[in-house]
Amino acid sequence: MTSGTPGNPTTTVRAEAREATAEPDRYGWLEDVEGAEPLAWVRERNAEAQAALGTARFEKLRAGVLEVLDSTAKIPAVTQRGEYLYNFWTDAEHVRGVWRRTTWESYRTDAPEWEVLIDVDALGAAEGVSWVWHGARVLRPSFDKALVELSRGGADADVTREFDLTTKTFVEGGLAREESKGGMGWADASGDEVFVYTDFGDGSMTTSGYPRTVRRWRRGTPLAEAPEVFAGEATDMSIAATHDATPGFERDFVVRARAFYDSETYLLGDGDTLTRLDVPASSEPGVHREWLTVELREDWDVAGRTYPAGALLATGFDDFLAGGRDFAVLHEPTQTTSLAGASWTRHHLVLNILDDVSNRLEVLTPPAGAADGGWRRRPLDLAGHGDDVPAFATIAVGAIDPDEEDALWLTTSGFLSPTTLSRLDLDGDGATVTIERLKSLPAFFDATGLHVEQHFVASADGTRVPYFQVSPQPATDDCEVLPAPTLLSGYGGFEIPRLPAYSGTIGRSWLERGGVYVVANIRGGGEYGPAWHQAALKENRHKAFEDFAAVARDLVARGVTDPAHLAAQGGSNGGLLVGNMLTRYPELFGAIVCQVPLLDMRRYSHLLAGASWMAEYGDPDDPAQWEFIRTFSPYHLFDPERDYPPVLLTTSTRDDRVHPGHARKMAALMGDAGKDVTYYENIEGGHGGAATNEQAAFMQALSFEFLWQRLG
């Protein structure tokens, strides 16, 4: 048996030899998502998982998680549209949920009065479809119609239907889109014209499975005859169009996404003429009234000046179209800081900056004219305005109505601090702040004796990697401390940061029962901006895995746990991460929980939306790129002669983003080799893995029961 590190020559030779002599994938038949034989195999594995994990403790875990998810004390997150606040809500009575609205006056009370617009449970029962809510787009500025998106079973593909907000009914014969990946959005204020990007038949979708064209469709005309506004290439990722309804600044845009971090934005003019915004393809442009902002992912040399990756720039939109390139630098990153977000209000731009994975806010006010000078900048000190933000908490802001007011939603959340929602109002010059606490979560678990720490560890190449640890307070005497069951979670991809957040389910199922919870802020994520992400792309993917392994080793070195009591957990790209922990670093872990994962990196670009991720991982059909991709393809790294920790693989039949075949094939491969592998596939759920709170509670309880059996 081989149990060495990823660089162990014996392991490498075995894997290479197995690949060189491999026959066609003998588990390829499991890629037939809804085939009779694969589904029979799934049901057998599901029955085995339920038999092994369906204990009395599992039922307690499931009930505890469901109580949190169905709690009527949750914060009803709202979006303001006109005079109403809209919310989508699920609980024990509304399993699939209700779309509803209320007023500011009512929302400020402890028991708001809600007007139900759509009952998804009732709609599904009437139509015989397991509808899952995907959202709604309310028409501006009349706010009397909405385009409602619904998905069968939680898949990414969905339908769009027009809804009348006055009669509270779907519009008979109204604007509608059949099931497809894509969307439909309002194209003007009349409510009679929409942009449609969807499956129009042969050749209308990209190789990534997303729309290739956009059409402008007018009410009363056949959709099939709607004029085409833009057509991309088959190899693009997706095409979409949007309408900016800001009063006095109405305009339309088309976005052509060739790949992640590679897109073109066009201003759609009279006669559907197209003017490309001349900004770097990797950047993210944004518009607000007369302003254009550009967030850079790479250095940009323009007009004799170099602006660094991670910077946020601003200039006049019309000036830019006329050829001007005089930018104000609103944010410039440092070694420890990055831009987490930028939110416009009517008169200000609020920056959310991460500094060593800790938020701080700044208020920027643009000049009113040439005589007004440059942008004014002020720190937004929440503590100085009566809002007590706990240490190691995440702060998020978002504009309430950027067309009309200088108000923001302010959310705070920490590992041990229940989430709060407040209204933050800025005055005209941004100097005065008023904070009104609106809602707070109750404490869903007993955090007595627990505390949060942040640590840093050197990765294999010396890079400083942060991680958060939630655990009992250190002992104050000389008693022996036993290794604690520890759950290490990470993601490390697509420039997405992992930030502190309150989770009643983790608290009840893990922390309250004596477990330690750790979140690793590894490269590939967005904790330190685009450079942190780009450091782990393609041939450098191994750096994300080395970072995660370094955190695992540090937890052991610091005496928090030992390998037998340490588990790794991740989903989607995080599933690829922990799949590599399983196959490259098996000696570091006592259990692995791998959820909706990518695992077969030879096939991933041919499965569902996989082609859209080649900017992240590389193209496995290119022999030169396959040489590095195969070094992080868990399905190909698996060695039947090697020892592996127990693994739980979970996925969803209705996941039309990451193919369930990844998890299916890995489970079959490991099972046939006699390894300790448990597999469960939810029949619904999409990429989120569950379509209802009950399903989510079941899936989470499976994971925690597996962990307690293996580590506890």
Side-chain angles (χ1 to χ4, degrees), residues 120-144:
V120 180
D121 294 272
L123 179 67
E127 299 183 351
V129 181
S130 58
W131 290 124
V132 174
W133 181 259
H134 264 198
R137 308 182 195 204
V138 177
L139 178 65
R140 291 174 173 268
S142 60
F143 306 107
D144 59 346

Side-chain angles (χ1 to χ4, degrees), residues 551-563 566 588:
V551 174
R553 292 191 181 101
D554 199 48
L555 291 168
V556 174
R558 291 179 41 245
V560 176
T561 190
D562 60 18
L566 177 60
L588 297 183

Side-chain angles (χ1 to χ4, degrees), residues 80-83 104 140-143 245-250 288-289 344-348 399-408 423 425-426 428:
Q80 180 173 314
R81 293 292 181 262
E83 62 182 305
W104 266 106
R140 291 174 173 268
S142 60
F143 306 107
T246 305
F249 297 89
E250 296 85 354
H288 175 74
R289 303 183 69 82
W344 279 102
T345 68
R346 173 62 179 82
H347 298 98
H348 309 289
I400 293 177
D401 186 348
D403 291 343
E404 300 293 338
E405 56 188 345
D406 293 311
L408 301 109
R423 177 186 170 114
D425 284 271
L426 302 169

Side-chain angles (χ1 to χ4, degrees), residues 338-613:
S338 67
L339 184 64
S343 301
W344 279 102
T345 68
R346 173 62 179 82
H347 298 98
H348 309 289
L349 180 63
V350 179
L351 302 187
N352 193 338
I353 297 168
L354 281 179
D355 193 342
D356 271 338
V357 206
S358 179
N359 298 93
R360 58 180 171 84
L361 304 176
E362 293 182 350
V363 180
L364 277 65
T365 305
D372 193 34
W375 289 67
R376 287 173 291 165
R377 183 186 308 266
R378 297 177 180 83
L380 206 170
D381 180 14
L382 299 179
H385 293 89
D387 201 64
D388 186 18
V389 179
F392 304 124
T394 295
I395 302 169
V397 292
I400 293 177
D401 186 348
D403 291 343
E404 300 293 338
E405 56 188 345
D406 293 311
L408 301 109
W409 303 110
L410 168 65
T411 305
T412 64
S413 185
F415 291 111
L416 303 177
S417 306
T419 304
T420 67
L421 175 66
S422 302
R423 177 186 170 114
L424 187 155
D425 284 271
L426 302 169
D427 69 358
D429 63 7
T432 304
V433 177
T434 303
I435 297 177
E436 175 190 5
R437 178 69 61 85
L438 296 170
K439 307 289 178 185
S440 300
L441 274 184
F444 282 120
F445 64 95
D446 184 2
T448 303
L450 297 174
H451 77 141
V452 182
E453 304 170 358
Q454 186 182 35
H455 295 273
F456 296 84
V457 63
S459 190
D461 63 0
T463 299
R464 175 176 172 265
V465 178
Y467 66 93
F468 292 102
Q469 175 183 316
V470 188
S471 56
Q473 293 279 1
T476 55
D477 53 28
D478 296 328
C479 65
E480 180 182 2
V481 178
L482 297 176
T486 301
L487 179 57
L488 173 58
S489 179
Y491 188 76
F494 297 93
E495 207 174 318
I496 297 172
R498 287 292 307 273
L499 305 177
Y502 187 78
S503 171
T505 60
I506 292 173
R508 286 190 174 191
S509 305
W510 192 249
L511 293 171
E512 203 173 56
R513 293 170 174 263
V516 172
Y517 182 61
V518 180
V519 173
N521 304 117
I522 62 177
R523 280 175 286 185
E527 289 84 351
Y528 292 101
W532 194 248
H533 168 236
Q534 293 160 11
L537 291 179
K538 297 183 178 180
E539 66 270 21
N540 292 318
R541 200 71 192 177
H542 62 93
K543 294 183 179 181
F545 310 142
E546 290 171 354
D547 291 357
F548 198 80
V551 174
R553 292 191 181 101
D554 199 48
L555 291 168
V556 174
R558 291 179 41 245
V560 176
T561 190
D562 60 18
H565 292 87
L566 177 60
Q569 175 270 331
S572 190
N573 172 77
L576 174 62
L577 166 68
V578 300
N580 274 273
M581 294 303 106
L582 174 73
T583 51
R584 293 165 60 105
Y585 301 93
E587 72 283 356
L588 297 183
F589 299 96
I592 303 285
V593 175
C594 189
Q595 300 158 313
V596 290
L598 288 89
L599 296 169
D600 181 353
M601 300 306 288
R602 172 62 112 175
R603 290 274 298 144
Y604 88 91
S605 59
H606 296 275
L607 300 173
L608 299 176
S612 65
W613 310 319

